[in-house]
Structures are given as structure tokens and as C-alpha cells.
Amino acid sequence: MTTSLHLHGKRGFDLLHDPLLNKGTAFTDAERDALGLRGLVPPYVNTQEQQLNRVYQSFQRKADELEKYIYLVSLQERNESLFYRLILEPLEEMMPIIYTPTVGLACQRYGHIFRRPHGLYITRKEKGRIRAVLQNWPHADVRVIVITDGERILGLGDLGANGMGIPVGKLSLYTACAGVPPAQCLPVMLDVGTNNQSLRDDPLYIGTPQPRLRGAEFDEIVEEFVVAVQELFPKACIQFEDFGNANAFRLLHRYRDRACTFNDDIQGTAGVTLAGLLSSERLTGTALVDERVLFLGAGEAGIGIGDLFVSAMMSAGLSQDAARRNCWFVDSKGLVVKNRTDLVEHKLRFAHDHAPAKTLLEAIAMVKPTALIGVSGMPQTFTEDVVRAMGKLNQRPVVFALSNPTSQAECTAEQAYGWTDGRAIFASGSPFAPVTLNGKTHVSGQGNNSYIFPGVGLGVLASEASRVTDEMFYVAAKTLASLVTEEDLTLGRIFPDLKRIRQVSAAIAVAVAEVVFARGLTRLSPPVDLAGHVAATIYQPQYRDYV
Ligand code: NAD
């Protein structure tokens, strides 16, 4: 019997060309007969394992990372189940391709490697009819939307419409890392132009080759989009991604109490970094309330992390003022202090009454931090002097070089370990290979928000949350840290092994959903077995029988 429920009436050629349903050479004889597929696929019926072997070999034959990216994206366009099987099995090998660092390169070249469209594009031309654009999307039960305007792609700056690689990649991680069903994911590019002249001059650029739209009209487009989403996809969570920092803070502030929304660069990064700090305390012995954290970079990531650290320190007993005094920032003009006149609003709460410092090294000497966190997008800013200074102040200096992609990292793993005789507790936004120093191998952790947002998204989805709150990121961070094993720590890794990411995301989802139910942020009643309810939501990439 045909399970038309799964197939939405699709058969034959249409079925073969629907990536969510296609099984390619794995359609069984019975399916080929019942679904008008006979003759449309080669005679030999493969298992998914055999197909997996074929696509993995093809993947490995690709000469460089960008070719591997193109191969994976093309596979996703043909057969989503097989794509997710492939990226889940050696996730450590696949994540740097579908996400940072390779996705950064793919965005830079997006117009040149473009094959088929993914997601939805919204421009000024669609103003007044954004609802109709959303209605063109073929899936009705959208639950997670990632939207960017491409203004601050990773640490690479304004990449305009080329930034579409980021929502596409992030949503792949929602599915791979947490099992959010692909049919419920929607990537959106809000193409309001670009101030990147070289892109505007590039004849293969895919976006609107005009200067970036600012001001009231930009806000009206965003507003129209949010309202249309709420009407058409009332259970959807909107994740704002890689907007420039002025818009990112503004939009978060405007919508966080009106819509189910969050900003991963601000809140997700904060979650993963707090988890990293909590785990590192098991190695340093420093209590959270005694941490003095110095940030290089006072943008979305830095201030987001600072705010979550403050909440965590307040939960541990400090006053807000005392907690803020434990967080210090250096931006492109030096230490963020009260008597500076050039500070934008989001930095003011961390501007302390203190003498100025021009350089990071001077700031380290004054602040005497226990942890140094790089979120500046500026490569090699954790110089030898800087890292050695951290090593002098601390037996186990915490050094996180979180800027992405790899080319923008504040220092490498090798440098951090090398300049501290292996004492550093190091994490980076993009992965670094293990480093062997004096016979000991150090496996650094990837302090990337992909440990946090997929689980948060799954929890929001499973509980049908109406809002996303900071408390959810706090419990996500604590859950993530609690899953770091002694073995991880012995290796120097302050995050769980990526191999366990689906378990980690499920645990985070349960913790987030508990907050949703406890705070009444859903119309659903709490299920008796919340973990079972979350588990039942998780997409598995194995093929289903259609007949
Ligand atoms: P942003 O543009 O909002 O902020 C950048 C900040 O760095 C600004 O405060 C700026 O003044 C400061 N800065 C620039 N040059 C500097 C210099 N030479 N010295 C000191 N400070 C300087 O960007 P963001 O969203 O905060 O992202 C910053 C970086 O963090 C990016 O590279 C991004 O990829 C990375 N990031 C990583 C993760 C992760 O999961 N690891 C998550 C989010 C962001």
C-alpha cells in the first residue's frame, strides 16, 4: 500500500527529483513498480549503506575543501537523507566543510560556484508582498528560520547576498547536530544591497548590486517579514544571523518580547563560551565568581558573552555591579572605560571607572585576567607577548580564540600551547588539529555555537515555545558543561566530543523545554515524558519504506 502521507502524491520523475523524498538507486523493486519509477533508475537496487560508501568515496576524491563543499551541497540538492547520513558518520570531518571555515570561502565565491537556489531571497522589490514570497515556499510547517542580511559574515565582513551560504549551512547543522527535520527549516537571505564594492563590480554576483539600504525602509522590510512569518508559520522561531552589530542589537531588542526569536551571534556564542568557562574551572579550580575575564572585541559576540557571564555570576551570588566588574573589554580603540567618549550603547554597561589602556598587553597588565576571550575578528592579535603574559598570571591560563573562520583566529592552537608550555586551556571558533608538545597531545575544543543553537532550536520546536529567553541559553550552557567528561578534560578538551553531539543537543533541548514549560511560554501542556517527547521529534536520516 502506498503511504501517500509521506509522499504528498508525488511519483515517478517528480519523486526522483524531490530531495526530501528521493532514494535514488535505493528505491526497491516494489516502490519502482508502485510509484512509476521503473526504468528511471539503474537496475541494481542499493542499500543506503552502499550508497553511503559511494558518496563518501566521491567526497574523498575531491581535490580541495571548496570542491568538497560543492559536492556536499549538490548531494543535499539530490538526496537529503543520504546527505545527512554522510555528514553524520564522520561529523568531525564534515563540519569544517559545511560550516566554518570552508563555508566562509564558499560565501566569498558564492556567485562563482552557484548551482541551484536554496531558501528564499527577499529584496526591496518584494516590499509590500513578503507574505506572498513566503507562500512560495513549498513547506507549510516551518519551525526554524535562519535569516541574514549578509553584512557581517563570520569575520569576513560584508558579503551581501553571498552570505546565503550561512543560513543554509546553519540549518544543515540544526538537522545534523540536533535532528530538526529538514522540511521544517527555512533559510532566508534579506538582500538589501552590499557595501562591498568588489562584489557589486563582480558580473557573477548573485545579489542586488547596490549600496546597502539603511534606516526606516530597512526596518519596514524586517517588520513586514516578522509579521508575515507570525501569520504564515506561527510556530516558527526566527534566528537572526550575521547582521552587522548595530542592526543585530537593535533587532534583538525590538523583537525578543514580540516574537519567537534570538540572535545566535549574541546569545548562542554566549552559551557556548559560558559552557567553556564552566568546564575550564574544573581544571583551574577558579570559582565563577572569582573569574576576571578580558575580551578582545566588544561587538555582538563579546557583549553577548559578557551579559550571559553576568547572569551566571549573579546566579552564583554576585550583585550585577560586581559581576560586571569581572568583565572587561578591549575594542579597536583600547580598554573600554568610562571616560571614553566614543562608546556605542551596547558597550556602556561594561565601561568601568578606570585608567585607559591603549593596547591589549597594557590591559592585561592592569586587569590581570584569569581568562582571555578573542571575539574581534582580527587574526594574530593574541601575540606571543599577550599569551605569555596570560601564562605568567595564571598557572592554567584560559585562552579562547573564537573568531572565525580559521584565518581570523586571534592565535592558533599551536601558538597558545607553545607559548605557555602546554598550560593553556585553549578553545577556538574553527577547529585546529591536535598539537603534540613535549610528548603530550593537546586536543583543543571547538568553542563554536553549533554546540548550543541546534539543541536550543530543538527544545523550542518540541515545546512550541512562543519566546526564546536568556535563561534558555544559561541552562543550555550548564547542560553542555555538565556533559564534558573527565576524559575530555584530560585531553585538554573543554567541550564534549563532537561524536556525541546528537546526545548533547537532545539534553540541551530537554533543559530548554523545561524552562519553556516552567515559565508558561507555550500553549502545550508539559508531556509526562519530556525526554521521550523530544526524542520523538528528532529526524533520522534513514530511508522510510514508501510501499
Ligand atoms: P562585531 O563586528 O559585532 O564585533 C567585533 C568587535 O571587535 C567590535 O567591538 C570591534 O570594535 C572589535 N575590534 C575590531 N578590530 C579590533 C582590534 N584590532 N582590536 C580590538 N578589537 C577590535 O562582530 P561579532 O559578531 O562580535 O564577531 C566577532 C568575531 O567573533 C567574528 O570573527 C566571528 O566569526 C566570531 N564569532 C565566533 C563565534 C563562535 O561560535 N566561535 C560566534 C560568533 C562570532
Side-chain angles (χ1 to χ4, degrees), residues 31-58:
E31 287 170 336
R32 293 171 191 213
D33 285 333
L35 299 169
L37 289 161
R38 188 136 303 272
L40 294 181
V41 267
Y44 193 89
V45 178
N46 282 126
T47 61
Q48 197 182 40
E49 271 60 34
Q50 288 168 329
Q51 291 180 320
L52 200 54
N53 184 18
R54 178 184 295 132
V55 291
Y56 188 51
Q57 284 187 29
S58 301

Side-chain angles (χ1 to χ4, degrees), residues 90-105:
L91 189 61
E92 310 88 291
E93 186 179 351
M94 299 295 168
M95 254 187 53
I97 309 290
I98 58 167
Y99 209 64
T100 184
T102 309
V103 75
L105 183 60

Side-chain angles (χ1 to χ4, degrees), residues 458-467 469 471-472 509-531 533-534 537:
L458 181 66
V460 166
L461 186 154
S463 60
E464 298 189 9
S466 56
R467 298 288 179 272
T469 63
E471 187 184 6
M472 297 178 195
V510 171
V512 166
E514 277 168 357
V515 173
V516 173
F517 288 112
R519 303 282 173 238
L521 293 171
T522 175
R523 290 194 196 149
L524 292 184
S525 315
V528 179
D529 172 14
L530 184 56
H533 173 72
V534 167
T537 316

Side-chain angles (χ1 to χ4, degrees), residues 429-441:
S430 301
F432 281 105
V435 175
T436 303
L437 195 74
N438 303 329
K440 181 167 171 19
T441 299

Side-chain angles (χ1 to χ4, degrees), residues 152 154-155 245 265 269 296-302 330-332 347 375-378 402-404 429 447-449:
R152 199 241 64 201
L154 303 171
N245 73 31
D265 303 303
T269 314
L296 184 71
E300 293 169 55
V330 170
D331 66 8
S332 54
K347 300 180 188 178
V375 273
S376 62
M378 290 293 145
L402 298 183
S403 289
N404 291 323
N448 194 284
N449 38 21

Side-chain angles (χ1 to χ4, degrees), residues 132-395:
V133 175
L134 292 179
Q135 279 172 319
N136 286 340
W137 188 245
H139 306 291
D141 189 20
V142 171
R143 297 298 193 90
V144 185
I145 295 174
V146 178
I147 180 169
T148 186
D149 72 349
E151 187 172 4
R152 199 241 64 201
I153 294 300
L154 303 171
L156 300 171
D158 185 348
L159 296 184
N162 283 6
M164 185 52 135
I166 296 294
V168 169
K170 277 238 140 135
L171 286 163
S172 297
L173 294 185
Y174 269 104
T175 303
C177 300
V180 172
Q184 296 183 326
C185 297
L186 171 58
V188 178
M189 162 49 64
L190 182 66
D191 174 20
V192 289
T194 175
N195 291 344
N196 183 331
Q197 187 65 46
S198 62
L199 282 182
R200 298 207 306 250
D201 293 341
D202 180 351
L204 292 182
Y205 179 53
I206 56 161
T208 309
Q210 282 168 10
R212 214 164 247 292
L213 179 67
R214 304 267 186 215
E217 199 180 342
F218 173 88
D219 286 357
E220 284 158 21
I221 294 175
V222 176
E223 174 72 14
E224 187 185 334
F225 169 77
V226 172
V227 170
V229 166
Q230 289 181 314
E231 285 170 15
L232 288 174
F233 309 125
K235 293 180 185 168
C237 172
I238 304 172
Q239 183 197 312
F240 285 94
E241 178 72 28
D242 284 5
F243 281 70
N245 73 31
N247 282 332
F249 283 110
R250 242 169 22 87
L251 296 177
L252 178 63
H253 186 66
R254 178 169 305 161
Y255 291 110
R256 62 185 309 160
D257 296 325
R258 264 183 56 193
C260 182
T261 188
F262 72 100
N263 182 304
D264 188 48
D265 303 303
I266 300 174
Q267 296 161 287
T269 314
V272 75
T273 313
L274 176 59
L277 191 68
L278 293 174
S279 306
S280 67
E281 286 168 4
R282 285 161 63 185
L283 295 168
T284 59
T286 309
L288 184 63
V289 293
D290 295 325
E291 297 281 6
R292 258 184 333 281
V293 185
L294 181 61
F295 296 85
L296 184 71
E300 293 169 55
I303 298 294
I305 301 167
D307 283 341
L308 194 63
F309 279 8
V310 168
S311 303
M313 288 180 192
M314 286 170 70
S315 296
L318 286 190
S319 68
Q320 189 180 61
D321 274 357
R324 283 184 177 161
R325 276 198 303 275
N326 285 346
C327 298
W328 294 79
F329 288 82
V330 170
D331 66 8
S332 54
K333 308 265 167 30
L335 193 62
V336 171
V337 289
K338 220 172 203 153
N339 64 4
R340 270 179 56 180
T341 53
D342 57 351
L343 296 176
V344 289
E345 209 265 319
H346 60 257
K347 300 180 188 178
L348 292 177
R349 55 187 172 276
F350 292 106
H352 302 304
D353 206 351
H354 195 275
K358 274 269 161 272
T359 66
L360 179 59
L361 204 55
E362 276 174 49
I364 290 174
M366 287 173 170
V367 173
K368 301 193 175 26
T370 54
L372 178 65
I373 298 181
V375 273
S376 62
M378 290 293 145
Q380 292 299 313
T381 35
F382 291 174
T383 58
E384 181 167 355
D385 287 348
V386 162
V387 176
R388 285 195 186 281
M390 285 300 292
K392 267 203 191 118
L393 288 168
N394 301 282
Q395 175 52 30

